Amino acid sequence: MKRELLKFVFFAALIFAAPLAFKDSYLMNVLVFVGINTMLAVALNLLLGYAGQISLGHAGFFGIGAYLSAILTATYGWNAWLAMPLAALAVGMLAGLIGFPILKLKGHYLAMATLGLGIIIYIVFNETIDLTGGPSGFSGIPNLTFGSLVFDNDIKNYYLVWTFALAVVLFSVNLAGSRVGRSLRAVHDSEVAARAMGVNARLLKVQVFALSAVISSLAGSLYAHTMTFISPASFGFNFSVELLTMVVIGGLGSVYGSFLGAALLTLLPELLRGAQDYDIIIYGGLLMIMVMFMPGGLARGIPDLFRRMTRIREGAGNA
Amino acid sequence: MQLEQILQYVFSGLSTGAIYALIGIGFSIIFNATGIINFAQGEFVMLGGMLTLFFLELLKLPLWAAIPCAVAVSALAGLLFERLAIRPLRQPTPINLVIITIAGSILIRGLAMLLWGKDTHAIPPFSGDEPISIAGATILPQHIWILGITLLVIAVNKFFFYHTISGKAMRACSYNRRAAGLVGIDVRRMVLFSFVISSVLGSLAGIIVAPLTMTAYDVGVMLGLKGFCAAIIGGMSSGIATVVGGLILGVLESLGAGLISSGYKDAIAFIILLLILFIRPQGLFGKAESERV
């Protein structure tokens, strides 16, 4: 556990020092997204990587968090710090309620059911125009404030979002190493064996589903308050797939891997701006290559590659 | 609410339902042979429409020649997909299979976008667009084409699976892959076959629906998902149950769009999907199977 803590302190220091190296405001803005996507990827990874339950509907929970925050603050004038936890609570309750029937399903069926759920949520965003503004979006969401501090520029938002993201990372690392984390992995490997050992697999799956949804909702609220504008397009099926890609590319069951996946998939389109129409192909190709050749993702793939390369070099030296 | 109007919704629902049924049968053929839900099934539907357009407009082929060409190219795409993406997979866990077929669908969609752009295109109807009136409601000739071709395909399908050696071999694989292998059936070839057949069915669906709904690089997502709903309602059988499932879905969707709200049309299909998955995952007509461990 001590080693985990050291790893986290190092990671946090790196994140907090990063803005010193970059003065570019545009890049800072992208790094804010990396933070939000890290939260989402870590949340999905708890469900997919640890408990082994797939979800193709997480963009929906992200969206509900964003819209609830937006509606409560901009339309009804609530304090954002009150709206955010309330949104998260509502999403958690919704996920818990839906979780019971939905998590009875396995594999492909679960994928399809969560996908259907995500699409229904997306359609509701589009159709409840009085509430959400429909396809043209929702603007004028207030920034978060803390006393006299208003989070209205990229550097402030960076520290705001990453404070949350680091909290989520720390929480997940702790959870993964705890008794609950071990139960989750047991459910992943064999639900029957886990049950035989006294794990309430059904309840545990629903709990982790709800937890994952709550974190996604928080990420959504942060997204709404930093962007000040949201539209349904950000919360559709494609984004759910993008989140899945982040988790898989980063490595299932690795918290820092999820960060790597989120960072890579957020930065990549920015690096490839000239090739904007190609990014969909790159996503698809990358996802395919990773599943085929690096099933452990970057988190396990990079050390493996490194080890193999040094072994080859040693072999060459001996010969 | 007039009776004619309801009849009208039912007619158009039946023809879209027939499309869902064709796509759904494609899903269940692959599922039965391999246990895979092919999330790229919808992209073959898109390929059918887009390739037909390509052969019609760029190569100036007549319709009767463009359609078989489009089906043939889709079949080749299905074959390549199985050989290049599914078969080489070293750890074919359900999650990996879901991800790889999603990756395949993104890739195919992206390639189609690069090749043919983002515009939506229309394909001319097979035999004019003079509406025919039946009992106060009107239908288009294309609706008749759709129902006719779907019925024909299902008949051919039935014949193939019950009266040819390959079809029987594929059914054997779907009951028990290991036993099928033991009696000398080349299981891998049957898996490849299942991908080819379902891409043919998908592309046919895409071709016959294109004159009604227009086609574009991204039409496959929704159509594929609706086809899956049909297959789930039908309990993943490749026969009449899926056809009935597709028709039920088409009619409910059409009535829902007409009587409730057209904006929620797609939501209706997914609510039905969720309800069926919750209440009867084995499908409306299937027998409950006890959970095997």
Side-chain angles (χ1 to χ4, degrees):
Chain A
M1 212 57 233
K2 219 173 194 175
R3 218 175 121 197
E4 283 298 327
L5 197 67
L6 215 63
K7 222 158 119 189
F8 175 76
V9 170
F10 179 70
F11 179 66
L14 208 68
I15 293 293
F16 269 81
L20 304 175
F22 311 115
K23 288 275 176 280
D24 180 27
S25 163
Y26 173 72
L27 187 65
M28 291 306 300
N29 183 26
V30 177
L31 292 178
V32 170
F33 281 110
V34 174
I36 290 172
N37 287 342
T38 298
M39 286 176 77
L40 290 165
V42 169
L44 184 58
N45 195 11
L46 283 178
L47 186 68
L48 180 62
Y50 289 96
Q53 309 298 312
I54 197 167
S55 167
L56 288 174
H58 258 52
F61 297 129
F62 177 54
I64 298 180
Y67 271 109
L68 276 181
S69 255
I71 292 165
L72 289 176
T73 54
T75 312
Y76 295 102
W78 282 40
N79 185 323
W81 294 110
L82 215 64
M84 271 170 61
L86 195 88
L89 188 72
V91 169
M93 274 163 52
L94 176 76
L97 221 61
I98 297 171
F100 272 104
I102 228 173
L103 289 161
K104 268 201 268 179
L105 306 165
K106 290 190 176 60
H108 309 296
Y109 289 102
L110 180 63
M112 270 295 179
T114 49
L115 190 162
L117 179 68
I119 292 182
I120 292 171
I121 295 173
Y122 171 75
I123 291 172
V124 170
F125 291 154
N126 265 306
E127 294 300 320
T128 50
I129 297 169
D130 296 340
L131 228 54
T132 64
S136 44
F138 193 117
S139 56
I141 306 161
N143 282 118
L144 279 164
T145 54
F146 194 78
S148 59
L149 178 65
V150 184
F151 292 94
D152 56 356
N153 67 21
D154 292 323
I155 185 90
K156 287 181 199 162
N157 279 330
Y158 177 90
Y159 282 108
L160 171 75
V161 165
W162 272 104
T163 305
F164 277 89
L166 284 172
V168 168
V169 167
L170 183 64
F171 175 76
S172 302
V173 169
N174 274 323
L175 188 76
S178 72
R179 189 191 161 87
V180 176
R182 288 195 297 278
S183 313
L184 283 175
R185 276 191 292 259
V187 169
H188 188 174
D189 291 336
S190 165
E191 203 174 317
V192 179
R195 271 197 203 149
M197 296 305 290
V199 175
N200 188 343
R202 192 147 171 231
L203 185 67
L204 192 66
K205 284 197 288 183
V206 174
Q207 282 169 335
V208 74
F209 186 66
L211 173 68
S212 174
V214 163
I215 299 174
S216 304
S217 165
L218 274 180
S221 296
L222 285 172
Y223 176 77
H225 291 299
T226 51
M227 293 298 295
T228 69
F229 170 82
I230 51 175
S231 77
S234 317
F235 311 115
F237 172 54
N238 285 338
F239 190 63
S240 285
V241 172
E242 210 173 301
L243 288 177
L244 180 76
T245 315
M246 288 175 197
V247 176
V248 172
I249 286 182
L252 292 175
S254 159
V255 174
Y256 296 102
S258 293
F259 159 72
L260 282 181
L264 183 73
L265 244 69
T266 317
L267 293 171
L268 201 64
E270 304 300 329
L271 296 174
L272 299 167
R273 292 199 101 205
Q276 212 153 45
D277 280 353
Y278 297 88
D279 63 355
I280 176 172
I281 296 183
I282 293 166
Y283 274 0
L286 210 61
L287 194 55
M288 203 173 248
I289 290 168
M290 290 304 285
V291 176
M292 282 164 78
F293 301 109
M294 217 187 253
L298 289 177
R300 249 181 295 155
I302 292 174
D304 270 2
L305 210 64
F306 186 69
R307 228 169 289 142
R308 217 176 302 159
M309 271 161 65
T310 49
R311 205 177 303 150
I312 289 169
R313 211 171 297 149
E314 273 167 26
N318 290 340
Chain B
M1 181 53 58
Q2 247 108 54
L3 203 64
E4 286 94 44
Q5 218 167 341
I6 291 183
L7 200 63
Q8 185 76 60
Y9 293 137
V10 170
F11 279 151
S12 62
L14 283 176
S15 79
T16 41
I19 299 291
Y20 299 157
L22 271 188
I23 305 168
I25 290 175
F27 268 109
S28 32
I29 287 176
I30 291 182
F31 182 77
N32 285 326
T34 63
I36 297 172
I37 300 288
N38 179 16
F39 279 79
Q41 183 68 12
E43 307 323 307
F44 293 103
V45 180
M46 175 275 290
L47 277 182
M50 293 303 277
L51 283 166
T52 306
L53 191 81
F54 169 76
F55 285 114
L56 274 178
E57 290 196 339
L58 278 148
L59 298 183
K60 305 281 177 217
L61 288 182
L63 192 67
W64 59 265
I67 291 176
C69 287
V71 172
V73 176
S74 308
L76 185 70
L79 187 134
L80 287 176
F81 183 56
E82 200 276 341
R83 283 300 280 115
L84 299 179
I86 307 291
R87 200 181 288 186
L89 205 60
R90 269 179 291 171
Q91 296 175 8
T93 59
I95 285 179
N96 279 350
L97 286 165
V98 167
I99 295 168
I100 199 105
T101 56
I102 286 181
S105 83
I106 297 175
L107 209 56
I108 296 172
R109 209 181 314 143
L111 288 173
M113 187 185 79
L114 270 191
L115 281 174
W116 300 306
K118 289 183 175 175
D119 302 333
T120 48
H121 307 271
I123 289 181
F126 295 176
S127 54
D129 44 13
E130 195 70 35
I132 304 161
S133 92
I134 296 175
T138 55
I139 58 170
L140 295 169
Q142 191 67 26
H143 286 130
I144 297 176
W145 276 107
I146 289 176
L147 288 171
I149 290 176
T150 303
L151 285 177
L152 184 72
V153 167
I154 286 155
V156 170
N157 215 29
K158 184 105 181 158
F159 178 80
F160 173 77
F161 278 108
Y162 285 86
H163 300 284
T164 66
I165 289 289
S166 306
K168 286 176 183 169
M170 282 185 69
R171 275 200 302 141
C173 285
S174 81
Y175 291 127
N176 188 330
R177 290 180 70 168
R178 199 164 195 186
L182 285 174
V183 296
I185 294 169
D186 186 345
V187 176
R188 289 170 99 188
R189 182 184 291 170
M190 292 307 137
V191 168
L192 187 65
F193 248 28
S194 71
F195 271 84
V196 171
I197 294 175
S198 78
S199 54
V200 165
L201 292 179
S203 66
L204 264 176
I207 293 168
I208 57 180
V209 78
L212 281 184
T213 58
M214 315 272 271
T215 185
Y217 79 101
D218 61 351
V219 295
V221 183
M222 257 315 160
L223 283 170
L225 295 175
K226 302 284 180 61
F228 180 79
C229 292
I232 285 286
I233 299 174
M236 281 295 174
S237 90
S238 57
I240 204 75
T242 299
V243 178
V244 176
L247 295 179
I248 291 176
L249 183 65
V251 170
L252 283 180
E253 203 183 87
S254 169
L255 285 174
L259 304 178
I260 303 167
S261 144
S262 60
Y264 286 105
K265 179 175 140 259
D266 293 331
I268 292 168
F270 291 105
I271 290 169
I272 296 172
L273 171 78
L274 283 180
L275 285 178
I276 299 251
L277 283 175
F278 290 167
I279 301 163
R280 287 185 69 88
Q282 72 275 22
L284 276 188
F285 316 106
K287 273 186 255 109
E289 211 177 302
S290 61
E291 192 180 337
R292 273 177 297 180
V293 183

